[in-house]
Amino acid sequence: MLTYAESTAIQSDFAARYRAVRTHSEAICAGLETEDYVVQPTADVSPPKWHLGHTTWFWETFVLLPHAPDYRIFHEDFSFVFNSYYETVGKRVLRTDRGNLSRPTVADVYRYRAYVDAHMHRFLENADLSLLESLIDLGLNHEQQHQELLVYDIKYILGHNPLFPVIAIPLTPVVLVSALALPVAVSEGVYTIGVQDTDQFHFDNEEGAHKVYLNAFSAEPSLITNGDYLDFINDGGYQNFRYWLADGWAWVNTTHANAPLYWHRVEGDWWCYTFEGLQPVDPAEPVCHVNYYEAEAFARWRGQRLLTEFEWETAADKLGWGQRWEWAQSAYMPYPGFTTAEGAVGEYNGKFMSSQMVLRGASVATPAGHSRHTYRNFFQPDKQWQFSGIRLVSTHGK
Amino acid sequence: MLTYAESTAIQSDFAARYRAVRTHSEAICAGLETEDYVVQPTADVSPPKWHLGHTTWFWETFVLLPHAPDYRIFHEDFSFVFNSYYETVGKRVLRTDRGNLSRPTVADVYRYRAYVDAHMHRFLENADLSLLESLIDLGLNHEQQHQELLVYDIKYILGHNPLFPVIAIPLTPVVLVSALALPVAVSEGVYTIGVQDTDQFHFDNEEGAHKVYLNAFSAEPSLITNGDYLDFINDGGYQNFRYWLADGWAWVNTTHANAPLYWHRVEGDWWCYTFEGLQPVDPAEPVCHVNYYEAEAFARWRGQRLLTEFEWETAADKLGWGQRWEWAQSAYMPYPGFTTAEGAVGEYNGKFMSSQMVLRGASVATPAGHSRHTYRNFFQPDKQWQFSGIRLVSTHGK
Amino acid sequence: MLTYAESTAIQSDFAARYRAVRTHSEAICAGLETEDYVVQPTADVSPPKWHLGHTTWFWETFVLLPHAPDYRIFHEDFSFVFNSYYETVGKRVLRTDRGNLSRPTVADVYRYRAYVDAHMHRFLENADLSLLESLIDLGLNHEQQHQELLVYDIKYILGHNPLFPVIAIPLTPVVLVSALALPVAVSEGVYTIGVQDTDQFHFDNEEGAHKVYLNAFSAEPSLITNGDYLDFINDGGYQNFRYWLADGWAWVNTTHANAPLYWHRVEGDWWCYTFEGLQPVDPAEPVCHVNYYEAEAFARWRGQRLLTEFEWETAADKLGWGQRWEWAQSAYMPYPGFTTAEGAVGEYNGKFMSSQMVLRGASVATPAGHSRHTYRNFFQPDKQWQFSGIRLVSTHGK
Amino acid sequence: MLTYAESTAIQSDFAARYRAVRTHSEAICAGLETEDYVVQPTADVSPPKWHLGHTTWFWETFVLLPHAPDYRIFHEDFSFVFNSYYETVGKRVLRTDRGNLSRPTVADVYRYRAYVDAHMHRFLENADLSLLESLIDLGLNHEQQHQELLVYDIKYILGHNPLFPVIAIPLTPVVLVSALALPVAVSEGVYTIGVQDTDQFHFDNEEGAHKVYLNAFSAEPSLITNGDYLDFINDGGYQNFRYWLADGWAWVNTTHANAPLYWHRVEGDWWCYTFEGLQPVDPAEPVCHVNYYEAEAFARWRGQRLLTEFEWETAADKLGWGQRWEWAQSAYMPYPGFTTAEGAVGEYNGKFMSSQMVLRGASVATPAGHSRHTYRNFFQPDKQWQFSGIRLVSTHGK
């Protein structure tokens, strides 16, 4: 059993972390106009006010309602509006309908946040949290995941507006690796993958530490740049089926894609939308907003390949990463022994284990403290709006 | 040529009418939250801020830019954003994309209105309007049409929100006809249809006064009520294909429709969304938000029929109308001699002359002064969100 | 009551007509390969074997089963397979699924025809037909309608095959009108429209003879030719929105249409598929396979217009017609007093009275004896696969 | 260099194998009616005549045209019609359009086969095949793959016909494993996966023998039966989202699936379509025609899991297999060092390496001689029409 001092230390740590995380969600949105909070230009993008409400609903539903005895729900209908994919907890708003809801207003959502935050602070400072640590950790990490999605979705909303608005968004500073760095070589052998220190926070999909056998390989020390990618475009990469997976070639032909998301060709020059507005494409920047099909096609065109997620994890401590999520040549599948937890929280990750690809690392949109070597991100192979880039196995280790 | 006094009278009349119409558009929106201005829950519905911007763009594009020598455009991109269906005037925003645009903001749109209004007032008070009267009349009537659409669209936006918000919307008072009134009988013969006094404002589709031969008929003096319509529902009207046009039956089966738009069955009782929130269906009210398929099916079930638009126009001065637009058993087709005007304004009405049905009369959402016996409204036969109702030919005149 | 001689005359007339009609259906298909009977390349087109089966099912279901006491059904499942749109008579095969059914085979269908024909001949020669005359007439005309559709559908099936097969199809010879003929002038006044001699066979939609008031007009004596239509194409007709209805312009942009159906541009020349294979477009032939949007756009481009169906009917006896169905500037709506008959046969025409346009006249694909001045054909305005052409009001009578 | 005797032995072996394979394709179709060869009831299913033509086109295009000097193409247009997914070799018929083509006829296709077979036999008996062995092996295996698809597609065509036809189809006899057999245990360690003896025929996706590290596991000795699967159905398996992947649950809700493909509930009993017609579901038979979502949901419901493809391959020589393809808990991804061959033949397998799942083993529809431990079959996770079943890891080795 915990001593009083230990118990208080946990409480104050959680209260401080809760405050920091909650504040950061609102800081991301500080530059938005009210209207920017509301729209949903495509099914994958959620309105920012929905993210702010949904993360609040998580605390209300999974922490306050079951564990804070005197807690009274803020508004009966918000559970319906702000549920996401949790089938266990009643009927959810169809994902593509979120952008149709003008109410609750943005002000209502901020009132909801303030109400829940007040109750959460009281709860975190007074309750016995010894049995709730992992739940609170999950809530904090859940909100951080939505912080990253907020950045994606705000960029999509503004980047698809003909006025290309400028906005201040807090991104995470990343230390760049020198372009002179050498490939990171890993020798053949058996390696252990997955979370080993299970006391640290991690998602269920990282559990099940297990051995894998890897052939020797070398990873390129830096990410593919816009300049590299322009070579692919200029060499007719989007016009030649040979480089593409069948699904990828169908995607090119259906969408008439000819560049990463947010790129525009204006009178012969490539520009791209950034939070600073429409800017010339910088050839030195790592390429961003490519989907798996593009990453794979680029690799084939170069005669190289992407790393598998196991290779990436094994080499991770020698790689400079964090600018872009790196597409792995690995489908998102369970680790040995993976099982889903009971209840709504158990719906977290396992249900997405088909037709998605793994991304490893982190990006400038990832909140500080929300990345680790074992973290498994995943998106469908046609998605571009996440901050995803390309790292290749070097030709030494093809 | 006009005398100075006549010219000033025209000017002050237009200036006063302009002010009244423009103020009314904003009065309709006075109760909205910022978020309500932004969303587009279905392709037919436009965001309220779009209506406010589009009507302003009309004045800027068709009056100020060509006729006010010193006028400078408010913002280059607004023409792109606020054009509607005018193919002549450059590339328009795809109708279904309007709800994706968080910018220009609502405040921007009101600034745009203020800027154009200031220029319009100066223009209307000083310019020689003698050659522009019909254009200004068109602009005023165009904005009134959008005022009616604003009411429809606001109702749709709020009526599809799970919170069913209450809002104050200025509707047009209507004098009700006594339920004791007798059918309106019209005898067989030749009648003239269409605008005869072409000096009064009218749309191009009302021109071409022409003779039609009508058989004798009688029109019911009052509209079908919710109570009447409930009889149809309770008699299995939505389950029996015999009452329905083939397209209507397909619509029923695709949409699973079982009542007018905005009706909800809650624990055995019928409720409907109104601007006062969710209310019990009032059996004495005229039924509203039925589409042509429903109106036609109801008439067949009763063994009666709808009036044609020519019958309606002939009987109009003896009918009490204005609560609901009345579906006519008439497709929307040109009158003899109809031609489209040159230029963008010529795109007004003629291009819609296929696969739409005529509605006659007016509704509580029609702005005062924007109705007349010859007015031809039209919607596709599956549309429900306009304020449409049902009047039948009485059994005497089947 | 009929004398024996009269009764026998009716019988032998019906028996002879039945034989002639049934034989003609099979004559149309005589040149087909078995495979041609089976496919359904688009939802509007039915497999030829379906037409042969469906017309047979009509005789079995509406004549033999209710009226021939000893008749035994050929196969229980055929009713399911060969029902078309008759909601009254059980569950029908979804229209777009017809082309998925390899069974019953073509040989099965011909066996079904032979079986029903044998029973029908016995029935027509022996039964008292005095109360069944209109039903048998309807059956004969129903089969003739499907004969015309058979020609359309066979053309579509073969005309969309990359091998462009040649096939012998019996078409109806048409006497051409001299190109020197003068416009047909009709003077202003009241005219009667619809079937007046109701003893002659006609469909329910032609009933309700009624007066209409027409302005004076003149109809062009001949149909628009391919040569005329090429002028429209070469003048950029398909690229200029001004000529098109809004729905028509959407159709052009969605389908990328740039010519009538079956036209192909091969190395700068226009060819079209005919039953003789791919042939150069003959500028002297009347244009065929245009939809309402194209007919209407062509007329606007010429500064003329289509006739209304009432104008057409009034002028019909002075027009040379029968090469192409002529699009009327008239939506397909009921005549005064129109009601649907009780039972399945009552589903015949009335249910299609929304969003369709009228065509008048006949075409080379119309069976001999299946046309008259009052005949109302109808198709949706985007359909091209029927043998439809264009006649304009002459500029004298615009 | 080969001796004359060796060279003749190769020739006679290839000639005999060619004859056997080609004959088997036609034997599968021997019971079809002409009409059965033509239809394409869904995009995944190809008309049988297309399979017969496409496999013939393969020999013509890749063997005869480049290697038989005097060969003259059978028909210029067949290349267009019978190409499948080979982007390298010109424009192909859109996959969903195949069922619209009534020509070439079935008789034409058999003439094509006879023509190509005559040339192939002359070629195989006379040419120097020493450099073509792998190409001819690929052609034979390619045709065997289409033989299996022929069985799937014929079953789909007839199984979706309301007459449920009976047909004789040659299936491959399979030796059943005793139900008393014990789980197959594999101990922890490093195992080699993929083709090691590269002289034997194999596809490119099996190459790249490589080591994997496996935890200990046991595989169930027999496949899940219909009886087992009925328990899942009866326990509400299709109604409970907890058992399903998110994509799977969306599939259930979109398709209203409630049983494997071809199962029908008739008055409380389950029947399924087989080549013997509609038959009662046999509880002792291994379940068939389940997709990955169903296999995965069934496993979760049982608290077990599917084998990975590596586990399956390691245990394969102790498993009785061949009745049903077995869904693996493995996405279809490349083995280390995988590269695609140059030219059209290189399009074979690699392009499908996204969003598909692996199946291992073989089925009664797999041609004799076309299976091995290293064979990697793959389908999208929603597909049911292949002969796929379920094997679980036993609870000892969860």
Side-chain angles (χ1 to χ4, degrees), chain A residues 229 290-300 306 327 389-390 392:
Chain A
Y229 201 83
V290 288
N291 65 23
Y292 181 76
Y293 301 136
E294 291 170 301
E296 229 268 347
F298 177 85
R300 280 206 212 183
L306 305 171
W327 283 110
I390 307 173
L392 301 181

Side-chain angles (χ1 to χ4, degrees), chain B residues 165-217:
Chain B
V166 175
I167 190 170
I169 295 280
L171 297 178
T172 305
V174 178
V175 179
L176 290 178
V177 173
S178 156
L180 300 173
L182 293 173
V184 174
V186 174
S187 54
E188 185 177 1
V190 172
Y191 294 89
T192 298
I193 295 296
V195 167
Q196 299 181 62
D197 174 4
T198 55
D199 286 346
Q200 293 299 313
F201 177 80
H202 56 272
F203 286 111
D204 55 357
N205 61 9
E206 305 166 58
E207 279 186 31
H210 62 289
K211 294 178 185 157
V212 299
Y213 193 98
L214 297 182
N215 291 340
F217 71 95

Side-chain angles (χ1 to χ4, degrees), chain C residues 10-139:
Chain C
I10 288 171
Q11 281 161 343
S12 93
D13 181 52
F14 272 128
R17 285 174 59 209
Y18 180 87
R19 195 183 321 266
V21 166
R22 296 286 286 173
T23 302
H24 187 61
S25 298
E26 300 183 9
I28 291 169
C29 299
L32 297 180
E33 299 283 353
T34 298
E35 293 85 344
D36 301 328
Y37 284 93
V38 180
V39 298
Q40 178 175 35
T42 190
D44 290 321
V45 167
S46 293
K49 75 168 177 159
W50 184 87
H51 286 294
L52 295 180
H54 168 71
T55 48
T56 305
W57 169 88
F58 186 102
W59 295 112
E60 179 177 67
T61 303
F62 295 116
V63 177
L64 293 175
L65 277 173
H67 303 294
D70 59 336
Y71 182 74
R72 293 184 55 189
I73 204 165
F74 180 72
H75 191 300
E76 285 296 339
D77 290 329
F78 281 27
S79 164
F80 176 68
V81 171
F82 290 125
N83 190 350
S84 61
Y85 48 81
Y86 300 100
E87 303 270 356
T88 313
V89 197
K91 201 130 193 74
R92 63 197 158 89
V93 172
L94 275 182
R95 199 167 176 192
T96 45
D97 284 349
R98 288 177 192 162
N100 299 340
L101 299 183
S102 58
R103 314 290 180 94
T105 64
V106 174
D108 291 335
V109 171
Y110 276 105
R111 271 190 291 273
Y112 181 36
R113 290 183 71 88
Y115 176 86
V116 165
D117 283 352
H119 283 271
M120 277 298 297
H121 282 301
R122 199 176 328 144
F123 180 76
L124 292 175
E125 279 154 16
N126 297 299
D128 175 3
L129 305 179
S130 53
L131 295 172
L132 298 176
E133 290 185 41
S134 68
L135 177 63
I136 295 168
D137 254 334
L138 182 64

Side-chain angles (χ1 to χ4, degrees), chain B residues 74-393:
Chain B
F74 179 72
H75 191 301
E76 286 296 340
D77 290 329
F78 281 27
S79 164
F80 175 67
V81 171
F82 291 125
N83 191 351
S84 60
Y85 48 82
Y86 301 99
E87 303 271 357
T88 313
V89 196
K91 202 134 192 70
R92 63 195 157 91
V93 172
L94 277 182
R95 200 168 175 191
T96 45
D97 284 349
R98 288 177 192 163
N100 299 340
L101 299 183
S102 57
R103 315 289 180 95
T105 64
V106 174
D108 291 335
V109 171
Y110 276 105
R111 272 190 289 273
Y112 180 37
R113 290 184 71 88
Y115 176 87
V116 165
D117 283 353
H119 283 272
M120 278 297 297
H121 282 302
R122 199 176 326 145
F123 180 76
L124 292 175
E125 279 154 17
N126 298 298
D128 174 5
L129 305 180
S130 53
L131 295 172
L132 298 176
E133 289 185 41
S134 69
L135 177 63
I136 295 168
D137 254 335
L138 182 65
L140 293 170
N141 279 275
H142 170 259
E143 183 141 355
Q144 287 182 309
Q145 290 186 307
H146 281 278
Q147 287 167 359
E148 181 148 7
L149 290 171
L150 265 171
V151 177
Y152 299 172
D153 293 355
I154 291 167
K155 186 163 183 181
Y156 194 97
I157 288 165
L158 300 181
H160 285 77
N161 189 295
L163 305 180
F164 294 123
V166 175
I167 190 170
I169 295 280
L171 297 178
T172 305
V174 178
V175 179
L176 290 178
V177 173
S178 156
L180 300 173
L182 293 173
V184 174
V186 174
S187 54
E188 185 177 1
V190 172
Y191 294 89
T192 298
I193 295 296
V195 167
Q196 299 181 62
D197 174 4
T198 55
D199 286 346
Q200 293 299 313
F201 177 80
H202 56 272
F203 286 111
D204 55 357
N205 61 9
E206 305 166 58
E207 279 186 31
H210 62 289
K211 294 178 185 157
V212 299
Y213 193 98
L214 297 182
N215 291 340
F217 71 95
S218 295
E220 294 281 9
S222 48
L223 297 174
I224 294 301
T225 63
N226 287 332
D228 298 329
Y229 202 82
L230 276 164
D231 292 342
F232 170 65
I233 293 175
N234 293 333
D235 194 41
Y238 283 89
Q239 284 77 51
N240 193 331
F241 71 89
R242 282 170 214 275
Y243 307 131
W244 296 83
L245 291 164
D247 289 350
W249 187 239
W251 172 82
V252 167
N253 284 290
T254 304
T255 63
H256 308 293
N258 65 348
L261 187 63
Y262 301 123
W263 286 35
H264 298 269
R265 194 161 179 97
V266 183
E267 293 166 13
D269 294 315
W270 283 106
W271 294 66
C272 69
Y273 176 73
T274 72
F275 291 124
E276 287 80 42
L278 206 59
Q279 301 290 336
V281 166
D282 177 352
E285 279 276 300
V287 71
C288 198
H289 299 300
V290 288
N291 65 24
Y292 180 76
Y293 301 136
E294 291 169 301
E296 229 268 347
F298 177 86
R300 281 205 212 183
W301 169 77
R302 286 261 288 231
Q304 295 173 261
R305 67 169 175 87
L306 305 172
L307 283 77
T308 68
E309 64 167 325
F310 300 150
E311 290 172 337
W312 192 94
E313 188 170 321
T314 307
D317 57 4
K318 294 182 211 132
L319 298 172
W321 50 268
Q323 293 171 292
R324 306 286 180 260
W325 286 98
E326 304 179 17
W327 283 111
Q329 193 190 47
S330 298
Y332 178 53
M333 295 296 292
Y335 283 177
F338 176 81
T339 50
T340 53
E342 289 294 313
V345 169
E347 290 188 51
Y348 213 84
N349 276 309
K351 68 198 302 187
F352 298 112
M353 288 172 173
S354 66
S355 303
Q356 308 221 24
M357 302 305 293
V358 173
L359 301 98
R360 290 300 197 104
S363 80
V364 291
T366 311
H370 190 73
S371 57
R372 55 193 165 272
H373 291 188
T374 57
Y375 198 106
R376 306 177 78 200
N377 201 349
F378 50 91
F379 282 95
Q380 280 115 350
D382 63 330
K383 298 296 186 262
Q384 296 179 298
W385 97 113
Q386 69 287 349
F387 283 55
S388 49
I390 306 173
R391 185 191 300 276
L392 300 182
V393 167

